[in-house]
Amino acid sequence: MKSPGCTPRHVRCLIIFSLCLGLTCLSGIFHMKNKNYRISKSQEELLIPPTPCHAKTNVMFLKTHKTASSTVLNIMFRFAERYNLTVALPADQLFHLGYPRTFVAHFVEGFKTIGQNYNIMCNHLRFNPLEVKRVMAANTFYFSILRNPIPLLESSYIYYKNNVPAFRSSKNVNEFLASPTKYYHPADYRANIYARNIMWFDFGYNNNAEDDTQYTQAVLEEIEQNFHLILIADYFDESMILLKHALCWDLDDVIYFKLNSRSQDTVQMLTPESEEQIKAWCSLDWKLYLHFNQSFWRRIEETIGLEVLQKEVDHLRARQKELMETCLSEQEAVRKDDIRNKALLPFQSGAADILGYNLKQDLDNRTLRTCQKMVIPELQYTSYLYAVQHPHKKRKEVGLPLLWTNLQERSVQLPVSN
Ligand SMILES: Nc1ncnc2c1ncn2[C@@H]1O[C@H](COP(=O)(O)OS(=O)(=O)O)[C@@H](OP(=O)(O)O)[C@H]1O
């Protein structure tokens, strides 16, 4: 017996409708492959399909100093190349966006013609939200990275030993910290920024301000409003996983080789007194770090959870190891004098021996290109991207041999030496 109103035409409609529904579900499943999905517990329990997310391509990274930020810049540049994105690069011969001057839009190459159409911004600058917003699209994701001020100050001391008056005039980092005001003179304010609360300064605030609770609280709140995410360099791998989720990127987008690190013999041991002194001398940075270290772990607990985090960190490390075995002659960074290809020599500064990498000799062209991008230091990569994006401008000079010729910059794949 047929149910009322169930004519052959209705049956055909029902079959067509079911087919469409099936196809829609199937296409959804294929589309989901290799993408990240935020699955909340309730969704899991109810077996509701997770909401897909789309990789964010408008991203601003505030590159703070001595915080593993060169490694992050390398990740950002590789991502920009992968998706053919426009990077807000420093104008003319500069390698930073006007630092230490407060950022203004015209520090960006091509701003007058390109306007508010840049996708990625990640070279050093002193943050100034209104001017950055003139360059970056309205839906831009803002993030930055902080490091424990104790190892950070030691790192700064060695790296800026010759440039910063307060460091130059002291014998070593412990002597400086025993009585910082003896070496840190207010008259040298500009040249001394790396010697006190450098992260506070990079975020655009006064690094010599009085540590007053109301003021610091207001600054922390403002940073929370301006940035979607603050990473912690001391938990770099965990940071990369959190970033990957926040941006809906693939794991391979956040695989990295550590860049801009020092040889162990150029690291000075801090005394316990010096460590305590840093917390007081750089109390603004100390507060900044404590606050965002706490929110970093809270964010992990509220989003991916510690268990998933650990699994993904393990994946990241396994993939990194695999890539190191593919790319590198030695399975680690080497001292500056041991870097064979001088085109891959990182910028050297102060009393630090900044390490770099040697690539394997017999890599095929495609692998070689991938490996070169993993190890190319910040200045060389900035100069290269600038030449690609602004072919009619004079190339930024690094003073080292070129890794890629001009032809290759126009994406012509030719055999290259490593
Ligand atoms: N992945 C990862 N994890 C942890 N730490 C890392 C990582 N990558 C770089 N580094 C360390 O960061 C220091 C360099 O920081 P920056 O690249 O920000 O320096 S710079 O301001 O751009 O010159 C430098 O610290 P020091 O070696 O203590 O000087 C690097 O060793």
Side-chain angles (χ1 to χ4, degrees):
M1 203 172 105
K2 283 179 188 164
S3 55
C6 191
T7 63
R9 206 170 125 243
H10 280 113
V11 173
R12 258 206 318 278
C13 285
L14 199 66
I15 292 171
I16 291 167
F17 175 72
S18 309
L19 264 172
C20 289
L21 195 71
L23 278 172
T24 313
C25 291
L26 262 178
S27 86
I29 288 166
F30 284 120
H31 184 68
M32 271 156 55
K33 237 183 111 204
N34 292 329
K35 275 273 160 225
N36 303 319
Y37 288 83
R38 284 191 207 101
I39 307 173
S40 72
K41 219 181 176 132
S42 58
Q43 278 175 323
E44 252 177 350
E45 280 157 7
L46 295 168
L47 289 174
I48 297 170
T51 324
C53 61
H54 296 283
K56 288 193 172 52
T57 50
N58 291 334
V59 187
M60 192 272 165
F61 169 59
L62 173 62
K63 189 179 191 296
T64 45
H65 285 82
K66 307 318 294 176
T67 55
S69 64
S70 307
T71 305
V72 179
L73 173 134
N74 179 276
I75 289 171
M76 301 294 292
F77 277 178
R78 279 187 282 125
F79 185 83
E81 287 203 273
R82 180 178 163 193
Y83 287 97
N84 211 6
L85 303 173
T86 306
V87 182
L89 294 166
D92 303 320
Q93 288 297 303
L94 283 184
F95 288 90
H96 52 74
L97 290 156
Y99 192 88
R101 285 185 291 163
T102 301
F103 177 81
V104 283
H106 74 252
F107 289 163
V108 173
E109 185 64 65
F111 172 66
K112 265 194 184 156
T113 44
I114 298 172
Q116 203 193 15
N117 286 306
Y118 294 89
N119 306 110
I120 302 284
M121 185 190 250
C122 59
N123 287 87
H124 279 303
L125 62 83
R126 188 170 187 216
F127 195 61
N128 182 5
L130 291 180
E131 285 293 310
V132 173
K133 279 184 188 133
R134 290 180 63 204
V135 176
M136 302 301 292
N139 66 351
T140 295
F141 182 93
Y142 288 77
F143 79 104
S144 187
I145 189 162
L146 300 174
R147 183 182 184 186
N148 183 332
I150 298 172
L152 185 148
L153 191 109
E154 189 277 330
S155 171
S156 288
Y157 186 92
I158 302 299
Y159 197 82
Y160 298 109
K161 178 73 184 152
N162 305 333
N163 311 66
V164 170
F167 293 162
R168 215 170 26 221
S169 53
S170 53
K171 223 168 51 214
N172 58 49
V173 69
N174 290 310
E175 190 187 88
F176 166 70
L177 286 164
S179 41
T181 49
K182 196 169 136 192
Y183 305 99
Y184 187 94
H185 302 299
D188 299 327
Y189 160 73
R190 278 277 164 201
N192 270 334
I193 48 176
Y194 301 103
R196 192 179 196 192
N197 294 314
I198 179 63
M199 296 188 289
W200 200 263
F201 181 86
D202 287 350
F203 274 86
Y205 302 101
N206 174 7
N207 60 324
N208 286 304
E210 208 179 306
D211 183 354
D212 162 82
T213 311
Q214 231 182 339
Y215 164 68
T216 52
Q217 199 49 41
V219 167
L220 296 178
E221 278 167 25
E222 200 168 85
I223 295 175
E224 260 171 8
Q225 272 165 20
N226 286 332
F227 289 85
H228 297 95
L229 180 65
I230 302 288
L231 303 175
I232 302 292
D234 313 81
Y235 306 101
F236 194 83
D237 291 348
E238 290 80 359
S239 290
M240 289 307 102
I241 299 303
L242 195 53
L243 182 70
K244 163 186 168 286
H245 279 266
L247 296 178
C248 189
W249 287 9
D250 294 330
L251 182 68
D252 263 13
D253 293 328
V254 294
I255 303 292
Y256 69 92
F257 295 165
K258 189 173 177 174
L259 299 178
N260 218 11
S261 64
R262 276 175 296 162
S263 63
Q264 203 46 43
D265 62 318
T266 58
V267 177
Q268 286 184 8
M269 276 293 285
L270 289 164
T271 63
E273 294 76 27
S274 291
E275 294 196 357
E276 281 309 305
Q277 173 71 297
I278 292 172
K279 294 182 197 168
W281 174 245
C282 297
S283 67
L284 299 171
D285 270 4
W286 186 246
K287 276 193 175 168
L288 184 67
Y289 177 72
L290 289 184
H291 179 88
F292 284 103
N293 185 36
Q294 216 170 45
S295 59
F296 173 81
W297 289 105
R298 205 181 316 123
R299 175 86 164 254
I300 285 175
E301 272 169 22
E302 286 169 3
T303 53
I304 39 183
L306 288 174
E307 223 173 286
V308 172
L309 175 78
Q310 196 49 53
K311 269 196 201 133
E312 295 205 23
V313 164
D314 291 346
H315 278 151
L316 181 144
R317 289 181 181 156
R319 183 77 185 108
Q320 181 188 52
K321 187 163 177 279
E322 199 177 278
L323 215 52
M324 286 180 108
E325 281 163 4
T326 303
C327 293
L328 305 178
S329 297
E330 301 87 357
Q331 294 309 295
E332 56 184 8
V334 298
R335 302 177 69 99
K336 64 173 191 286
D337 292 339
D338 297 329
I339 300 169
R340 284 193 299 267
N341 183 348
K342 294 305 168 204
L344 292 175
L345 183 73
F347 179 72
Q348 302 293 317
S349 173
D353 182 328
I354 302 295
L355 306 179
Y357 293 94
N358 285 320
L359 298 180
K360 279 188 176 161
Q361 305 275 359
D362 51 356
L363 302 171
D364 63 78
N365 271 349
R366 207 180 134 92
T367 313
L368 176 62
R369 194 80 169 171
T370 305
C371 295
Q372 284 174 329
K373 298 265 162 96
M374 300 287 296
V375 301
I376 183 168
E378 175 178 341
L379 302 192
Q380 289 91 320
Y381 211 161
T382 302
S383 165
Y384 163 72
L385 273 190
Y386 185 85
V388 173
Q389 292 196 7
H390 307 284
H392 303 301
K393 298 280 297 187
K394 184 176 172 338
R395 190 186 176 120
K396 290 179 194 290
E397 274 163 29
V398 182
L400 292 168
L402 288 181
L403 189 59
W404 300 297
T405 66
N406 286 343
L407 267 183
Q408 282 157 345
E409 274 150 23
R410 282 181 228 122
S411 297
V412 180
Q413 297 290 312
L414 292 174
V416 273
S417 77
N418 56 352

